[in-house]
Amino acid sequence: VIDGNNMCHSNDKFVGLAPLMKSISILEKRYKIILIFDSSIRSLLHCSNNDIKNKFNEKITVHIVEGIADETILDIASGDKFCYIISNDRFGEYQEKEVVKKNRIIRHEIVDKKVFIHDLYINEKFD
């Protein structure tokens, strides 16, 4: 499960879909991807839900939550012991959730037009 809004930010600054798109292009060859956005993505991208969903291929499940996406992300990942979340959110207010307890959250970095997901051996430049 990918926290879509989170992967579009670097140091609390919105950088757009490019790092997310680059990461997905690599990850989709190895994993099933569920991409979750919260509703703020529409105003950040100036797009409708359908416009956003159409940016991704049909193999990617894209869901836009009406409101905050944290609980949806955590509940999807908690149902499968092999499912991880890619996010820099520590989900501190959800310590009781299985995925948080089991530390199945993978962090990423976005620096100088490069996306790093060290645990998944991703180190890629994006435009």
Side-chain angles (χ1 to χ4, degrees):
V1 179
I2 299 176
D3 181 346
N5 289 67
N6 194 272
M7 280 208 70
C8 292
H9 285 82
S10 175
N11 294 324
D12 294 326
K13 180 181 177 220
F14 183 70
V15 295
L17 290 175
L20 176 62
M21 300 296 272
K22 178 53 86 173
S23 301
I24 286 175
S25 72
I26 297 163
L27 293 170
E28 72 180 338
K29 296 171 185 163
R30 298 184 271 177
Y31 305 102
K32 176 185 176 198
I33 296 174
I34 300 172
L35 178 58
I36 307 293
F37 290 104
D38 70 35
S39 60
S40 69
I41 197 65
R42 289 190 300 260
S43 60
L44 290 168
L45 293 175
H46 308 288
C47 293
S48 70
N49 284 5
N50 282 337
D51 292 337
I52 295 164
K53 289 177 182 181
N54 289 334
K55 293 180 185 296
F56 301 92
N57 73 48
E58 66 280 349
K59 292 184 345 185
I60 309 300
T61 300
V62 179
H63 180 73
I64 300 164
V65 176
E66 292 303 320
I68 297 176
D70 290 359
E71 282 197 80
T72 301
I73 290 168
L74 293 166
D75 288 344
I76 289 170
S78 290
D80 179 346
K81 69 180 182 177
F82 298 108
C83 187
Y84 285 73
I85 296 169
I86 298 175
S87 177
N88 284 343
D89 191 328
R90 295 191 189 275
F91 302 103
E93 62 275 25
Y94 299 101
Q95 294 299 310
E96 77 286 355
K97 298 285 187 177
E98 174 200 346
V99 71
V100 177
K101 280 191 222 176
K102 303 276 181 167
N103 197 30
R104 294 197 326 256
I105 301 169
I106 297 171
R107 303 193 44 86
H108 67 278
E109 312 240 1
I110 300 168
V111 180
D112 195 29
K113 296 210 176 215
K114 286 186 95 172
V115 61
F116 302 93
I117 307 175
H118 299 296
D119 290 343
L120 300 174
Y121 308 102
I122 294 176
N123 173 348
E124 294 288 329
K125 191 151 187 62
F126 64 85
D127 294 323

